[in-house]
Amino acid sequence: MSFYPFLVAQLPLLFFDSRAPVSMQALARYAAEWLPAEEGDILLRLAAGEWPDHPVIRDYRQFDVGLRNQLALLRGTRMNRDPEPYLLGSERPDHVTRQVLSDCVKDENREHAERMIDSLRWKFIEDRTVMDSFNFTFLVAYFLKLRILERWSMLDEQRGLELLQAALEERPKDPVGTPS
């Protein structure tokens, strides 16, 4: 007997731009009780912030690298800097995604721009798993969406300042050799 319908039917619906209705950690622990050990381990590791090996996770990370590469290209161009040192591989998003990212880089409201970028991630997850329901792939996609929602629920002004300070302290030396 399959346990997926039972487990999936208990999950609250997720909506982009809403609060996470459940903790990834708590849900992973609960789900791990019902799943085969290998699948439970994947969800536990995903909830812990790791990127375990699974086709949806690989595809999502590849898509995300494409997003980040395109953002590096756009921001580098805007700042008259060579983006090459910041690119990872040759991944690039499709034309529509590139246009949305271009709009994000121009957007003066950084929070709005970040939400637009996360909405692209959300849409990718939905498109990648549209035919999956009541199976493990659906659960992995659910956890990826929870990760997006939890990230937004953790952000506030003080946390943002702490992250900015940490990023500035860890910033790599300017690749073109100009003073920072």
Side-chain angles (χ1 to χ4, degrees), residues 73-128:
L73 287 168
L74 292 166
R75 289 173 177 155
T77 301
R78 187 175 174 139
M79 297 170 61
N80 294 320
R81 299 197 46 193
D82 179 18
E84 193 62 36
Y86 305 100
L87 302 179
L88 301 172
S90 60
E91 297 301 323
R92 301 290 186 276
D94 62 53
H95 176 73
V96 173
T97 302
R98 285 195 309 268
Q99 184 56 51
V100 172
L101 291 173
S102 178
D103 294 342
C104 289
V105 169
K106 295 173 191 171
D107 196 331
E108 295 295 323
N109 182 331
R110 299 311 316 153
E111 181 180 347
H112 181 258
E114 282 297 315
R115 287 195 186 276
M116 286 174 49
I117 293 167
D118 274 349
S119 74
L120 290 170
R121 291 179 175 113
W122 189 279
K123 183 177 177 343
F124 174 82
I125 295 165
E126 286 188 340
D127 290 348
R128 170 60 176 79

Side-chain angles (χ1 to χ4, degrees), residues 137-156:
T137 298
F138 175 88
L139 290 173
V140 170
Y142 191 90
F143 272 71
L144 290 172
K145 289 178 181 180
L146 268 178
R147 186 178 266 197
I148 292 169
L149 296 179
E150 283 192 355
R151 181 176 87 90
W152 281 101
S153 67
M154 292 181 356
L155 297 179
D156 62 29

Side-chain angles (χ1 to χ4, degrees), residues 2 19 21 26 30 33 44 47 53 55-56 65 73 76 81 88 92 98 111 114 122 129 133 137 141 147 149 162 171:
S2 177
R19 296 194 65 77
Y30 176 74
E33 294 177 20
L44 288 167
D53 189 36
V56 171
V65 166
L73 287 168
R81 299 197 46 193
L88 301 172
R92 301 290 186 276
R98 285 195 309 268
E111 181 180 347
E114 282 297 315
W122 189 279
T129 59
S133 58
T137 298
R147 186 178 266 197
L149 296 179
E162 291 169 4
R171 182 175 57 174

Side-chain angles (χ1 to χ4, degrees), residues 2-9 11 35-36 39 43 54 56 128-143:
S2 177
F3 35 78
Y4 296 111
F6 171 76
L7 186 56
V8 170
L11 297 175
L35 298 172
E39 292 177 352
L43 295 184
H54 183 273
V56 171
R128 170 60 176 79
T129 59
V130 70
M131 299 303 288
D132 292 293
S133 58
F134 301 107
N135 61 22
F136 185 65
T137 298
F138 175 88
L139 290 173
V140 170
Y142 191 90
F143 272 71

Side-chain angles (χ1 to χ4, degrees), residues 20-92:
V22 62
S23 155
M24 269 190 3
Q25 293 283 339
L27 181 58
R29 286 190 302 272
Y30 176 74
E33 294 177 20
W34 293 91
L35 298 172
E38 183 179 329
E39 292 177 352
D41 182 60
I42 288 173
L43 295 184
L44 288 167
R45 291 177 56 209
L46 194 55
E50 297 177 33
W51 295 105
D53 189 36
H54 183 273
V56 171
I57 296 170
R58 278 193 306 267
D59 291 350
Y60 175 77
R61 293 200 67 202
Q62 184 176 0
F63 174 78
D64 194 56
V65 166
L67 286 182
R68 292 170 187 271
N69 281 346
Q70 188 64 31
L71 286 168
L73 287 168
L74 292 166
R75 289 173 177 155
T77 301
R78 187 175 174 139
M79 297 170 61
N80 294 320
R81 299 197 46 193
D82 179 18
E84 193 62 36
Y86 305 100
L87 302 179
L88 301 172
S90 60
E91 297 301 323
R92 301 290 186 276

